[in-house]
Each structure stands twice: as C-alpha cells, then as structure tokens.
Amino acid sequence: MPSTAQGVVLADARREAEALARQVAESQRLATLGRVVAGVAHEIRNPIAAMRLKAENAIAAGHDIPRKDQALRTIIDQIGRLEGLLRNLLSSVQRAKPILTPVEDVIDFLNERVDLFREQAAAHGLAFKVEGRSIDAAFDSARIGQAIDNLVLNAIQNTPPGGSITISAERSADRLVLSVADMGQGVPEDVRAQLFEPFVTARPDGTGLGLAVVREIAEAHGGTARAIHRPDGTTFIIELPWRPS
C-alpha cells in the first residue's frame, strides 16, 4: 500500500498530467481555429475584390447597359461562390444527425452519382469504373451523395488525362465500405496528417473543404473517412456501419 505522502505525490502528478492534456487540447483547438479563420479570410478575399471591381465598373459605365449586365452576372457568380464556400464550411463543422433512408442497391446509387460527372470527366479525358456487387443499406442518401460527389470531383481534378477513376462498394461484416480511387500524383507528405482538416489542400485552386465535409458526414453516421496512399494514386474510403434497408 502506498504511503500518504506517495498518494499525495501521485494525485499531484495526475492533476498536472490532466492539466497538461487540457492545455495541449486547447492549443490544438486554437491552432485548428486559426487555420480555419485564415482559410476563410483567404477564400472570401478574391470574390469580394471581384464584386467590388465589377460594381465600380458598372457605376463608371453610365448608360452602357451591356457592360452593367455583364458586371451584374459576375457579381451573381461570385455570390454563388461565397454561398458554396459557406455551405461547405458549415457542413464541415456542423454534425447534423443523419436522416437514414433505404437504399436498395448501393451500386445503383453510386452510378447515379457518377452520371452527374460523366461529361466533365470525358472533357478531361477520364473514364469511370463502378465496381462491386449489389448491396442494400440504409444511410442519409443526400449527405452520403454529397460526400461521394466531393470525392469524385477531387479525383477528376487530380487524375491526368487518359487515366481512370474507380468507385466501389463492398460489405465487410457489419461495415459498408465505399471508395473512390484516382490515378493522380498522390498527396504530398507534408499535408497527409491534416488532409481531412478544413482548408488543408495541396492544390493552389482548392479550398480544402471537400475532404473535411467527407469526414464530417462519415463521422455523423458513426463511421470514418481515410485515405490510402498508393504509388499510382490515392484511394479515399468512407466506412460506415452497415444498416439493412
């Protein structure tokens, strides 16, 4: 049995360890918050600057109606860009409870998502492959659809012309595993650890919100999102608890 003095020392050490853990957690939270704030500031600066410039041009145009109309169209486009940014940002930080709906065939569901991007992929010289056997499941089809869309769009942006993108589904025991595999250059080592955090991206034109949204949607379902880094590309995986339809 430890002496009273030993007990006091152990209790003090435990309290110090707990305090240190809280400090580390708070530091990590503030660091993440700082990255989010910096990312938001960076992403909204360009649309705001574009809208201001176009508004000034419209005022200077006087009675030049076509020039005013073009300025208004640009402003509307930039407003849409900001709305999309805010929508993705909110999706990445708000864990709304999923609304589960029956999906009779997950492969059919994936084909429906892929069909939305076939023309865009063809314009980039890319082909789609949808693989897997028929699986029934229950999940929030709107939100999982959003996650798959983000991964497919990410794959299109990262796969060189002539490559292919493979989307698949399989049931592994009590888990439903959805994956999107690209044939890109891979994710740089220095961003892999923070890949699913908001505003972390290796692309100069990326917002870094797509994968954060994917992770949030997966975790809201009680699942996970992860990446497998292959020599010939990257495979993104959404793993969910399997629920029968």
Side-chain angles (χ1 to χ4, degrees):
M1 295 290 292
S3 66
T4 301
Q6 289 175 320
V8 170
V9 170
L10 289 174
D12 288 344
R14 183 166 55 250
R15 282 193 295 270
E16 289 179 4
E18 291 172 351
L20 180 60
R22 286 193 296 271
Q23 290 175 4
V24 170
E26 180 66 7
S27 296
Q28 291 175 339
R29 186 188 71 82
L30 291 174
T32 299
L33 180 61
R35 286 194 294 271
V36 170
V37 171
V40 170
H42 174 74
E43 290 299 325
I44 68 176
R45 182 182 295 116
N46 289 340
I48 288 175
M51 286 189 288
R52 179 175 180 176
L53 177 62
K54 287 299 180 180
E56 290 172 346
N57 288 343
I59 292 172
H63 298 292
D64 187 344
I65 301 303
R67 185 175 173 186
K68 286 181 179 290
D69 289 345
Q70 179 60 43
L72 287 174
R73 282 193 290 270
T74 299
I75 290 172
I76 290 171
D77 288 344
Q78 295 302 316
I79 290 173
R81 178 179 173 185
L82 288 174
E83 287 176 340
L85 171 67
L86 291 176
R87 184 167 56 251
N88 274 339
L89 180 60
L90 290 174
S91 294
S92 72
V93 298
Q94 290 182 341
R95 184 163 297 181
K97 186 176 180 180
I99 300 173
L100 302 182
T101 55
V103 178
E104 293 184 2
D105 191 332
V106 177
I107 297 301
D108 286 346
F109 170 80
L110 293 179
N111 272 306
E112 290 174 2
R113 307 317 304 179
V114 166
D115 284 344
L116 300 174
F117 298 94
R118 288 196 186 278
E119 289 187 7
Q120 184 175 353
H124 285 77
L126 306 176
F128 281 126
K129 299 176 184 177
V130 179
E131 299 179 345
R133 294 183 298 176
S134 178
I135 308 168
D136 73 301
F139 48 73
D140 190 322
S141 57
R143 300 197 72 201
I144 293 298
Q146 181 186 7
I148 295 297
D149 291 352
N150 283 346
L151 292 180
V152 170
L153 183 58
N154 182 73
I156 290 174
Q157 293 168 337
N158 286 289
T159 302
S164 63
I165 299 167
T166 303
I167 301 92
S168 65
E170 65 175 334
R171 181 183 165 193
S172 178
D174 60 346
R175 311 294 285 179
L176 175 64
V177 182
L178 309 174
S179 67
V180 177
D182 65 43
M183 296 177 63
Q185 300 300 313
V187 180
E189 293 276 357
D190 59 339
V191 301
R192 290 184 180 182
Q194 294 83 35
L195 187 57
F196 288 91
E197 288 187 13
F199 299 106
V200 174
T201 179
R203 296 200 321 271
D205 60 338
T207 64
L209 283 175
L211 293 180
V213 170
V214 170
R215 180 185 66 179
E216 186 58 34
I217 291 172
E219 292 181 352
H221 280 75
T224 59
R226 67 182 190 277
I228 296 177
H229 305 286
R230 314 184 324 268
D232 60 344
T234 307
T235 301
F236 289 94
I237 295 174
I238 299 173
E239 190 169 316
L240 309 173
W242 178 78
R243 302 176 177 93
S245 60

